[in-house]
Amino acid sequence: MTRSAQTLRSCLLAAVLLLPGGCYYAHVARGQASLLVHRQPIDHVLADPATDAAIADRLKLALQARRFASDALGLPRNGSYTRYVDLHRPYVVWNVFATPAYSIKAVNHCFPIAGCVAYRGYFSQVQATREADRLRAQGNDVSVGGVPAYSTLGWFDDPVLSSMLRWDDDELAGEVFHELAHQRVYVAGDTAFNESYATFVQRQGLDDWRHARGLGPVDPRGDRMEAAFTHLVIDFRQSLADIYAGGGDTAALAEKKRAAFADFRERYARWRDADFAGDKRYDAWVAGDLNNASLLPFGLYEQWVPAFTALFAQVHGNWSAFHARVAALARKPKQARQAELEALATSTCATPCG
């Protein structure tokens, strides 16, 4: 299953980390401090004869992508992704999502600068599990997802993490582009804008990266399947919202909810076999312990990608002009920003053109 479908990336800011008091803030501060302490310059890791050859190859690729991001894509030129941390665990952060039992609206968490987000991130899986248990005890639906990478939005020089090295070349390079895009433009409290912008930069940047390396374009089948699956889940999420809006006693709602999830699994199997026969990348997720909270991340990464595609075409693929236009959008009030994004998304260049 793709990373964007599994979980929502975290954005943990220095302003949050340095807030006094509070067990959660103290936990996040310790986790971020640990990363800072254990960072090593990648050049030093590569010069160490004890470094595993496979790890060295991945780190060399990360540095190449890092340079390309600034030289060719107009992304920040700083110390991010020039250092390495071996986490000795599969993920850097675990995100905890929650919704009421009969609602698809997230239990939001609000922070300075970052704004409100639909999750809380924990550097410890044990603490994430404790938070999940606490939220379940309140009657919420809860989902926990591991996060291989996150951004501090330029407050610190984010390192390459060992959790990122298990990806293939395209995923690793694309992740560097994605996280650096967050450092270039970020709007507090507008996750769909932030993630759609970074996702466009990741995808278009990866196309440019592959072209510069003499490679063919990315196979579009994976993106097509991910987009189609995302729409399938979003449609299901809306059908759940309609069920919950209809009201009823708890027993009746519980039965309708159970039946809806069963129907979704059947519709998924029919869709997969009809359109993507033999591709089972989403089977394990669909067969798992799904609930309202499991559905929260879907759509946040793709909602405005057509709008940014059109914007990129309008500036004829000029990255500097593109980022400037995005920054101008970011400065607008949310209602005006969304109106312009909607207009862009329905324009003639909402799919690659020009």
Side-chain angles (χ1 to χ4, degrees), residues 3-351:
R3 286 175 287 121
S4 61
Q6 283 178 321
T7 187
L8 188 65
R9 292 175 176 89
S10 291
C11 290
L12 303 174
L13 305 182
V16 172
L17 303 179
L18 299 177
L19 280 174
C23 293
Y24 176 68
Y25 293 127
H27 162 76
V28 174
R30 287 194 299 270
Q32 178 62 40
S34 177
L35 294 184
L36 296 178
V37 167
H38 291 98
R39 292 180 305 179
Q40 302 179 66
I42 291 178
D43 288 340
H44 293 183
V45 177
L46 294 176
D48 186 346
T51 298
D52 180 82
I55 290 176
D57 287 343
R58 312 304 295 141
L59 292 176
K60 289 175 185 175
L61 183 86
L63 281 183
Q64 292 166 2
R66 176 66 191 87
R67 287 191 289 269
F68 185 83
S70 297
D71 292 344
L73 307 181
L75 295 172
R77 191 181 301 276
N78 55 32
S80 289
Y81 308 108
T82 63
R83 300 180 185 183
Y84 173 64
V85 174
D86 188 345
L87 295 171
H88 302 289
R89 60 182 188 265
Y91 298 106
V92 61
V93 167
W94 285 262
N95 280 344
V96 181
F97 303 89
T99 70
Y102 303 109
S103 172
I104 61 166
K105 293 184 178 179
V107 175
N108 276 333
H109 306 274
C110 298
F111 306 102
I113 300 179
C116 296
V117 293
Y119 59 88
R120 261 191 167 186
Y122 291 84
F123 285 91
S124 162
Q125 187 175 15
V126 170
Q127 292 193 248
T129 300
R130 287 175 183 164
E131 173 65 5
D133 290 343
R134 184 186 71 82
L135 290 164
R136 286 192 192 96
Q138 295 176 351
N140 295 300
D141 279 10
V142 180
S143 177
V144 180
V147 180
Y150 74 90
S151 174
T152 60
L153 309 184
W155 286 82
F156 298 116
D157 288 339
D158 297 319
V160 175
L161 304 170
S162 55
S163 51
M164 300 165 62
L165 299 187
R166 60 178 178 265
W167 297 331
D168 64 26
D169 289 2
D170 285 352
E171 288 180 306
L172 179 56
E175 184 68 20
V176 171
F177 305 154
H178 185 109
E179 300 301 348
L180 285 171
H182 283 315
Q183 295 186 17
R184 179 74 192 243
V185 179
Y186 184 87
V187 180
D190 196 341
T191 301
F193 176 86
N194 297 326
E195 293 300 344
S196 296
Y197 161 63
T199 295
F200 172 80
V201 172
Q202 176 178 349
R203 292 176 181 173
Q204 183 61 49
L206 188 57
D207 283 346
D208 291 1
W209 160 259
R210 289 181 63 88
H211 178 75
R213 292 164 65 85
L215 303 173
V218 177
D219 184 351
R221 178 181 168 88
D223 284 345
R224 284 201 304 268
M225 187 176 186
E226 182 173 355
F229 181 70
T230 296
H231 286 301
L232 189 73
V233 175
I234 290 173
D235 287 346
F236 171 52
R237 193 169 62 195
Q238 183 56 53
S239 70
L240 278 177
D242 294 340
I243 289 171
Y244 299 148
D249 60 42
T250 300
L253 282 174
E255 176 54 27
K256 290 178 181 178
K257 179 180 179 179
R258 184 205 63 75
F261 275 95
D263 179 68
F264 168 71
R265 289 185 170 96
E266 293 176 1
R267 284 191 289 120
Y268 162 75
R270 291 194 299 270
W271 164 82
R272 177 203 60 204
D273 293 342
D275 296 342
F276 297 94
D279 196 324
K280 299 183 178 182
R281 71 183 70 186
Y282 296 109
D283 283 17
W285 186 85
V286 172
D289 187 19
L290 298 184
N291 58 36
N292 300 333
S294 308
L295 312 178
L296 287 177
F298 287 86
L300 291 174
Y301 288 85
E302 291 83 15
Q303 180 177 351
W304 299 120
V305 168
F308 291 115
T309 301
L311 190 59
F312 192 73
Q314 286 183 4
V315 299
H316 307 290
N318 182 302
W319 279 103
S320 294
F322 171 73
H323 293 307
R325 289 281 300 275
V326 174
L329 270 175
R331 290 191 291 270
K332 294 187 175 184
K334 188 169 185 177
Q335 187 173 359
R337 181 168 61 250
Q338 291 196 344
E340 188 166 340
L341 288 168
E342 288 169 0
L344 284 165
T346 57
S347 68
T348 57
C349 281
T351 55

